[in-house]
Amino acid sequence: MTTIECNLQGLKARISSACSRAGRHEDEVVLLAVSKTFGPDAVRQALAAGQRCFGENYVQEGVEKILALRDASVASMPMEWHCIGPLQSNKTRLVAAHFDWVQSVDRLKIAERLSEQRPDHLPPLQVCLQVNVDGGLTKAGVTPDALPALAQAVAGLPRLKLRGLMCIPEPAEGFDAQRAVFEQARAVFDRLNAAGFALDTLSMGMSDDLEAAVAAGSTMVRVGRAVFGGRPAKLTSPA
C-alpha cells in the first residue's frame, strides 16, 4: 500500500467520522484531492486508490497534468478536474477548454469569458462562486451582499452550470470558531436556495478544519496536504 493510499484511507475515515457526528451520511461529502505542485505520478497513485476528483490552483500546471493523464480517465470512471485558484482573464480559455469545474468565480467578467470560450462539444462548465464570508482582506471572493446579483447573472449564461459556493475563510483556532465561520457560508448558501437557485454544492473545509466544515454542511472538502503530504515547490508559474 502506498503512502498516498494510506493517507486517503485515513482521510476518508475522518470524513466518515465527521459525518456521523453531524448526523449526515458520508456519501453527502465529496473529497477533492488538491494536487497542485504534485506531478502526474502522485495523481496516478491516488487514482489507483480510487480517487477521481482533483483540484488545481495553477492553470498551466493543471492543464499539463490533465493532458498527461488523459489516458487514465476512462469512460467508466472518468477523472474530474476542478480549477480552485484565483483566475486571471488571460487564463480563462485554457480553463474553459480543459477543466470540468471552476470553483473560484467571483466576477461576472470571468464568468462571461468562460461561457464564451467553453467548447460546444463539451458539457457545460460546472461553476461555484467564491464568497468571502468573513471579510478577510487577503482572500478573494465576492461579498455576501453582492452575491445574489452575481449568482443571477452567472445562472443566465450559456455553457455554464451554477452549482454552488466555495469559501476559504481566514484560519480560526478551534472547532467552534471554525464552525462559526463556515455556518456563515451555509447561511448564504441557504438564502440563495430559498430564492430559487437550486444549488447543490458547498465547497469548504481543508486538511485542518474539515470536521468543522462538515458539521456546518459542507458537501465538498478540498484537501491536499493530508492526501499527498508536504508540498514541493510549484511545478510552473501561478495562473
Side-chain angles (χ1 to χ4, degrees):
M1 185 178 294
T2 67
T3 299
I4 289 176
E5 185 176 3
C6 289
N7 289 347
L8 281 167
Q9 286 191 1
L11 185 55
K12 289 174 181 177
R14 282 179 63 189
I15 294 171
S16 178
S17 179
C19 286
S20 179
R21 290 194 298 271
R24 304 175 62 193
H25 194 279
E26 62 185 49
D27 290 343
E28 295 178 35
V29 180
V30 174
L31 169 61
L32 183 68
V34 180
S35 46
K36 69 175 183 180
T37 74
F38 289 92
D41 287 345
V43 176
R44 286 186 187 276
Q45 289 182 46
L47 276 169
Q51 179 64 29
R52 310 305 297 185
C53 300
F54 296 89
E56 289 288 331
N57 290 64
Y58 308 127
V59 173
Q60 188 63 50
E61 176 192 327
V63 169
E64 290 171 2
K65 272 182 268 190
I66 291 169
L67 295 176
L69 293 162
R70 184 172 286 171
D71 64 302
S73 189
V74 297
S76 59
M77 290 191 68
M79 297 178 71
E80 189 174 274
W81 292 95
H82 295 235
C83 177
I84 61 174
L87 187 53
Q88 299 172 2
S89 295
N90 64 348
K91 296 295 177 68
T92 55
R93 188 175 297 278
L94 279 174
V95 172
H98 294 283
F99 283 83
D100 304 297
W101 285 67
V102 182
Q103 296 199 19
S104 49
V105 173
D106 61 0
R107 289 170 288 157
L108 181 57
K109 175 185 176 182
I110 293 295
E112 289 173 337
R113 289 178 64 89
L114 291 169
S115 175
E116 293 166 359
Q117 295 167 348
R118 183 68 167 175
D120 290 338
H121 71 279
L122 295 178
L125 187 62
Q126 310 299 294
V127 170
C128 287
L129 303 180
Q130 184 172 352
V131 58
N132 188 339
V133 292
D134 58 352
L137 297 178
T138 64
K139 300 296 182 181
V142 62
T143 65
D145 288 343
L147 183 60
L150 179 61
Q152 188 68 50
V154 172
L157 293 174
R159 312 298 303 145
L160 302 183
K161 172 66 175 176
L162 181 59
R163 295 292 298 272
L165 304 180
M166 184 267 270
C167 72
I168 311 174
E170 296 288 346
E173 285 294 328
F175 178 89
D176 291 340
Q178 293 167 353
R179 179 172 180 172
V181 177
F182 288 132
E183 291 282 7
Q184 296 178 48
R186 174 60 186 269
V188 174
F189 179 81
D190 288 344
R191 287 199 296 271
L192 288 178
N193 275 336
F197 282 95
L199 307 179
D200 61 11
T201 301
L202 184 54
S203 173
M204 58 186 191
M206 296 187 283
S207 293
D208 294 332
D209 56 13
L210 70 87
E211 284 83 3
V214 169
S218 174
T219 68
M220 182 180 293
V221 292
R222 309 178 307 273
V223 180
R225 188 180 68 253
V227 174
F228 296 104
R231 296 203 178 280
K234 60 179 178 290
L235 300 180
T236 61
S237 59

